Amino acid sequence: MYIYDKYDQTMVDERVAQYRDQTNRFLAGELPADEFQQLRLRNGLYVQRLAPMLRITVPYGMLSSLQIRKLAHITRHYDRGYAHFSTRQNVQLNWPILEEVPDLLAELAEVEMHAIQSSGNCIRNTTSDQYAGVARDEIEDSRPWAELIRQWSTFHPEFNWLPRKFKIAVTGAKEDRAAVQVHDIGVRIIEQDGQLGFQILAGGGLGRTPVLGAVIKDFLDQKHLLTYIEAVLRVYNRYGRRDNKYKARIKILVRAMTPEVFAEHVDTEWQTIKNGPGTLTEAEILRAKSFFSRPDYKQLDEECSALDQQITDNFAFKTWVGRNVKPHQQSGYVIVNLAIKATAVAPGDVSDEQLDTIADLADKYSFGEIRVTHEQNATFADVAKNELFALWKELCESDLASPNLGLLTDIICCPGGDYCSLANAKSIPVAEAIQKEFDDLDYLHDLGDLDINISGCMNACGHHHVGNIGILGVDKKGEEFYQVSIGGSAYSDAALAKILGPSFAQAQIPNVVRKLVTLYLDQRQEGEQFVDTYNRIGIKPFKETVYA
Amino acid sequence: MPAIIKNQAIVESDYQWVDGEIDLSTNNLLLPLTTYIAHQDKLSARKDVGIWLEAGENIEDAEAFVSKLPIVALNFPAFGDGRAYSSANILRRKFGFEGELRAIGDVRRDQLEQMVRCGFDSFQMADGQNLEKSLAGLNSFTYNYQGSIDRPEPLFQNR
Ligand code: SF4
């Protein structure tokens, strides 16, 4: 994991001091509300429907047990005893008090955490693959690169007042778990003629006008990563639209210029800084990589007969292993996903006690680290097979062992109308109603991988465009309605979902989902997941069954 | 002339920011880019005339003559409009402009340090900004990760 030196720590401490001063000036009436709003947003503080919301940055989703314990403490002391894992690998608090936020940030800084640039029209937290460094299909670990981008983008003086927010994601694996195609910049580590480099995408994004990013650079030498990104940002900062916030994302600029012309602009600018002082040195790349070296794995056989026996003996354990446990690079180890999606709890919400438990279990079973995923779950990346059963038993005691990873009930859901002042409609009760409708685990397992994504408005924080089933809250003459779309995917075969038709009342949604999956079960061929069947038979039969 | 911040101190402005009609024989003018270009033949020998650009104007349009000017000013129509930071970068880095670079318009205390890092060295603050207190906005951070105009080497070069 990345560890701060005096430079990193000083910057974070000085930001806390600066933010404290900004808060004090606001409270003293010296800083107008509209100005303070922009400043506090750049430090993650929204003012929401019920209370402020603080978004804490978790760079590429990695947390140490020390940091998780601090978060547990913070939720107890400054909030109401729970935190929310967001779809951007961040952690959100729903009830902080504006006056106390500087103290809260000072406590976070003690454990090398902050809320810098987690909101506002600036470069946001850089995200990556939750299985980075341990995934079997990996070309290279993406985290050192994400960390280099994080540092470069933190307090970048030129790019703090962009037309709109800006999100960068990095993946180093064959399967794209970082959804790079729906980011403002997507960075793919690729190999060409035995050389590692990057393919760069630009202009992807969800929200009101969903688009998949276009490749603007086929192969970029690794040392040029930061200067190339700088060139992209400069072109965007200069020419991105500022007259209409709905047309201000880079995706609109890339489309208006066409990806080819945009790429030319970037290249022309890049030629003026390429090989300049921002070019990465070998020493810096090695320094970044040194923080993500492999932990001290035990020498274990890939085969573990004790585990095989436990799987045979215990059906619930078997089900959980089948869904939530993934293969690992290191022999004798596995990746374990904790699905934080118990019914009747908002997706992604964790209590302070659960956080403490997660920290303890991480220390005991996974080198003291966890990762927060885009699917709002948590991952233990390095669990020895011969300890898996013991870990599972402990997870069961804390309600952290739901075996529904990737299943229909593992719903991705934004905070929606219960918390968010931008919402058209609530999203959490819809997720709950669906989870209640589908409570038969055998049936769910039979359905297989099925992503449901719910957003409370066009801003698409729940990424509804890339859900196999996407649900969007809309306002119809003051009433909450839901538009349903199907066929999206967030993975390497990324696709945007298509709208089924007229929207539905909240109470109809579980039944609509039921009809969609029933049709899939009737129509599917051997080995087909929901999206495969959709891709084969098209949207029409789904429309017919839903609106029949 | 209004007070401005220049080289970390409060001084009286030595240039008049002109937005509209003006008698061009007046001393010490900061003229709109288009006005300057229209009268370039008469103005190019003057040592007391600079230009200012709107955020949406291309800094490239001044490339041909900018090195002869004593001062360039870039307007911030709103503090949240960040285009002038990139214009400043290009002016300093690409065109090698060494004269005074002034921020004008909606210039507020909490953006000053970013402006300095992008190459600005004088500031005509927005109405209502307290200049004394604004001086504190120039120096909040001891270190920076990325290179910038005032210090082109990124932190990693010396880490
Ligand atoms: S999608 Fe809309 S309602 Fe949901 S969190 Fe984002 S802004 Fe709020």
Side-chain angles (χ1 to χ4, degrees):
Chain A
M1 214 168 136
Y2 187 71
I3 312 236
Y4 282 10
D5 63 8
K6 71 166 182 203
Y7 300 107
D8 307 285
Q9 190 66 50
T10 306
M11 273 184 248
V12 168
D13 290 343
E14 286 176 344
R15 176 59 177 136
V16 175
Q18 185 191 45
Y19 185 74
R20 190 184 294 282
D21 175 58
Q22 289 167 344
T23 304
N24 289 342
R25 280 154 51 210
F26 168 68
L27 294 171
E30 290 172 32
L31 200 52
D34 66 327
E35 191 176 347
F36 181 59
Q37 179 194 28
Q38 293 304 318
L39 301 175
R40 67 170 158 71
L41 283 175
R42 277 163 185 71
N43 218 13
L45 191 69
Y46 286 82
V47 174
Q48 295 282 37
R49 188 158 282 187
L50 301 172
M53 184 273 275
L54 182 71
R55 184 180 292 145
I56 298 166
T57 313
V58 182
Y60 35 91
M62 291 208 64
L63 287 168
S64 69
S65 54
L66 182 75
Q67 292 173 324
I68 300 164
R69 284 195 191 92
K70 179 60 99 178
L71 286 173
H73 159 78
I74 283 175
T75 65
R76 270 190 295 271
H77 191 85
Y78 297 94
D79 207 273
R80 298 194 184 171
Y82 65 93
H84 176 79
F85 288 174
S86 85
T87 54
R88 289 273 313 157
Q89 297 184 298
N90 288 318
V91 173
Q92 295 179 177
L93 299 177
N94 282 318
W95 308 97
I97 294 166
L98 191 136
E99 289 82 349
E100 291 183 358
V101 170
D103 291 338
L104 193 169
L105 293 171
E107 290 215 37
L108 281 178
E110 288 171 15
V111 293
E112 306 183 0
M113 290 185 79
H114 59 78
I116 293 163
Q117 289 167 217
S118 60
S119 180
N121 296 337
C122 53
I123 305 171
R124 303 286 189 85
N125 185 21
T126 299
T127 51
S128 92
D129 180 350
Q130 65 249 28
Y131 300 158
V134 294
R136 283 227 176 131
D137 64 341
E138 188 163 81
I139 302 160
E140 193 187 31
D141 192 343
S142 51
R143 292 169 302 170
W145 304 106
E147 175 59 27
L148 288 166
I149 296 171
R150 180 194 77 79
Q151 297 195 12
W152 169 82
S153 60
T154 299
F155 304 131
H156 198 296
E158 189 181 338
F159 306 129
N160 198 29
W161 303 93
L162 297 170
R164 205 72 177 86
K165 58 189 170 186
F166 201 93
K167 300 176 180 181
I168 304 176
V170 191
T171 179
K174 299 226 166 67
E175 178 171 345
D176 176 14
R177 283 170 294 262
V180 297
Q181 294 185 79
V182 291
H183 281 75
D184 297 289
I185 291 181
V187 179
R188 269 196 194 123
I189 299 174
I190 55 168
E191 198 178 335
Q192 195 174 294
D193 307 327
Q195 271 277 103
L196 287 177
F198 304 109
Q199 184 187 61
I200 309 287
L201 291 85
L206 299 173
R208 203 167 269 257
T209 322
V211 220
L212 298 178
V215 175
I216 57 162
K217 187 83 189 160
D218 289 320
F219 188 85
L220 181 71
D221 204 329
Q222 291 191 323
K223 65 175 190 279
H224 295 313
L225 179 65
L226 300 182
T227 52
Y228 190 82
I229 293 180
E230 177 179 331
V232 175
L233 262 299
R234 186 162 298 124
V235 171
Y236 171 56
N237 189 41
R238 297 189 71 194
Y239 303 114
R241 284 182 64 171
R242 290 174 189 263
D243 57 331
N244 178 341
K245 87 177 225 196
Y246 299 114
K247 300 221 156 39
R249 294 289 290 267
I250 192 176
K251 63 190 172 190
I252 305 284
L253 178 67
V254 172
R255 282 211 308 185
M257 281 185 169
T258 76
E260 295 72 33
V261 174
F262 179 81
E264 275 171 35
H265 272 91
V266 170
D267 199 67
T268 307
E269 178 56 33
W270 181 50
Q271 295 305 328
T272 72
I273 48 176
K274 187 181 172 184
N275 295 319
T279 309
L280 285 164
T281 58
E282 197 54 37
E284 176 63 0
I285 294 171
L286 287 175
R287 197 184 81 86
K289 287 185 176 172
S290 71
F291 293 103
F292 303 95
S293 58
R294 297 165 80 77
D296 212 354
Y297 292 124
K298 285 176 281 190
Q299 288 307 316
L300 299 173
D301 288 336
E302 181 60 13
E303 288 306 309
C304 178
S305 53
L307 175 62
D308 294 342
Q309 192 60 47
Q310 286 150 351
I311 289 174
T312 314
D313 293 348
N314 189 318
F315 184 71
F317 180 57
K318 179 179 175 193
T319 313
W320 177 79
V321 171
R323 277 322 300 182
N324 294 37
V325 175
K326 306 286 171 194
H328 197 287
Q329 285 176 4
Q330 176 73 18
S331 79
Y333 279 81
V334 286
I335 303 169
V336 173
N337 289 287
L338 283 57
I340 307 181
K341 301 284 172 73
T343 304
V345 179
D349 276 3
V350 267
S351 69
D352 58 333
E353 283 154 28
Q354 284 179 323
L355 285 168
D356 279 332
T357 307
I358 290 172
D360 292 346
L361 295 177
D363 281 340
K364 200 159 156 192
Y365 295 101
S366 193
F367 298 95
E369 287 176 5
I370 75 148
R371 299 157 185 217
V372 182
T373 76
H374 308 276
E375 294 85 9
Q376 302 176 288
N377 291 319
T379 297
F380 287 165
D382 301 289
V383 178
K385 281 186 171 176
N386 56 20
E387 295 179 339
L388 189 60
F389 188 64
L391 168 62
W392 176 72
K393 282 200 288 194
E394 296 205 47
L395 288 173
C396 288
E397 285 166 24
S398 303
D399 275 341
L400 290 168
S402 28
N404 65 341
L405 188 89
L407 296 181
L408 180 149
T409 49
D410 184 10
I411 294 171
I412 298 175
C413 176
C414 81
D418 292 293
Y419 298 104
C420 174
S421 55
L422 302 171
N424 286 324
K426 292 196 169 76
S427 51
I428 294 168
V430 178
E432 268 177 41
I434 296 170
Q435 287 170 332
K436 287 211 181 87
E437 168 82 18
F438 294 90
D439 57 354
D440 178 346
L441 257 185
D442 292 334
Y443 180 82
L444 288 170
H445 281 262
D446 184 38
L447 276 178
D449 287 327
L450 211 164
D451 293 336
I452 296 193
N453 296 53
I454 310 177
S455 306
C457 78
M458 291 278 211
N459 287 321
C461 303
H463 304 172
H464 61 277
H465 302 294
V466 290
N468 300 156
I469 298 178
I471 301 175
L472 165 69
V474 291
D475 180 279
K476 250 195 183 173
K477 302 196 188 81
E479 278 191 69
E480 300 189 354
F481 270 75
Y482 297 86
Q483 191 180 70
V484 177
S485 42
I486 61 171
S489 165
Y491 302 101
S492 301
D493 55 343
L496 300 170
K498 290 211 173 65
I499 297 167
L500 269 181
S503 50
F504 303 95
Q506 197 186 104
Q508 292 174 287
I509 293 290
N511 194 28
V512 169
V513 174
R514 174 69 77 183
K515 284 180 180 164
L516 291 171
V517 302
T518 306
L519 181 80
Y520 153 66
L521 288 178
D522 289 348
Q523 297 284 330
R524 77 171 161 193
Q525 295 179 352
E526 186 65 32
E528 274 186 347
Q529 302 288 4
F530 181 86
V531 259
D532 304 325
T533 306
Y534 163 84
N535 286 335
R536 182 170 53 78
I537 67 175
I539 197 168
K540 203 159 155 254
F542 289 97
K543 269 190 186 165
E544 284 164 4
T545 180
V546 166
Y547 295 103
Chain B
M1 294 266 191
I4 59 165
I5 294 177
K6 185 172 170 178
N7 299 327
Q8 316 248 345
I10 299 169
V11 297
E12 196 184 318
S13 171
D14 34 10
Y15 286 91
Q16 183 186 349
W17 171 13
V18 179
D19 188 7
E21 293 297 303
I22 184 87
D23 174 0
L24 290 178
S25 62
T26 319
N27 287 339
N28 297 344
L29 295 177
L30 214 40
L31 294 173
L33 172 68
T34 46
T35 310
Y36 185 88
I37 291 175
H39 302 278
Q40 207 177 336
D41 46 341
K42 276 180 268 148
L43 296 171
S44 59
R46 295 257 304 261
K47 291 273 171 286
D48 66 332
V49 175
I51 56 168
W52 70 273
L53 278 78
E54 206 33 278
E57 285 181 308
N58 271 327
I59 191 71
E60 284 82 357
D61 294 346
E63 184 177 2
F65 54 84
V66 76
S67 61
K68 293 190 215 102
L69 300 177
I71 179 171
V72 172
L74 299 174
N75 186 41
F76 288 82
F79 74 92
D81 185 331
R83 286 176 289 184
Y85 294 100
S86 286
S87 303
N89 174 286
I90 290 167
L91 184 63
R92 290 285 197 211
R93 176 180 52 82
K94 237 194 216 160
F95 304 163
F97 178 69
E98 287 179 353
E100 182 176 339
L101 179 54
R102 185 172 298 182
I104 57 176
D106 196 8
V107 181
R108 306 192 193 189
R109 162 178 172 175
D110 291 276
Q111 281 77 58
L112 291 182
E113 190 166 8
Q114 295 153 26
M115 291 178 182
V116 171
R117 294 188 60 208
C118 290
F120 290 95
D121 49 14
S122 71
F123 310 90
Q124 180 165 339
M125 305 294 292
D127 290 344
Q129 295 288 304
N130 179 320
L131 269 69
E132 284 296 333
K133 289 187 175 170
S134 293
L135 290 174
L138 289 164
N139 303 298
S140 296
F141 291 96
T142 315
Y143 307 112
N144 306 113
Y145 286 120
Q146 57 298 102
S148 52
I149 296 300
D150 64 337
R151 193 183 46 76
E153 306 272 285
L155 179 62
F156 67 72
Q157 300 277 9
N158 304 306
R159 209 164 187 175

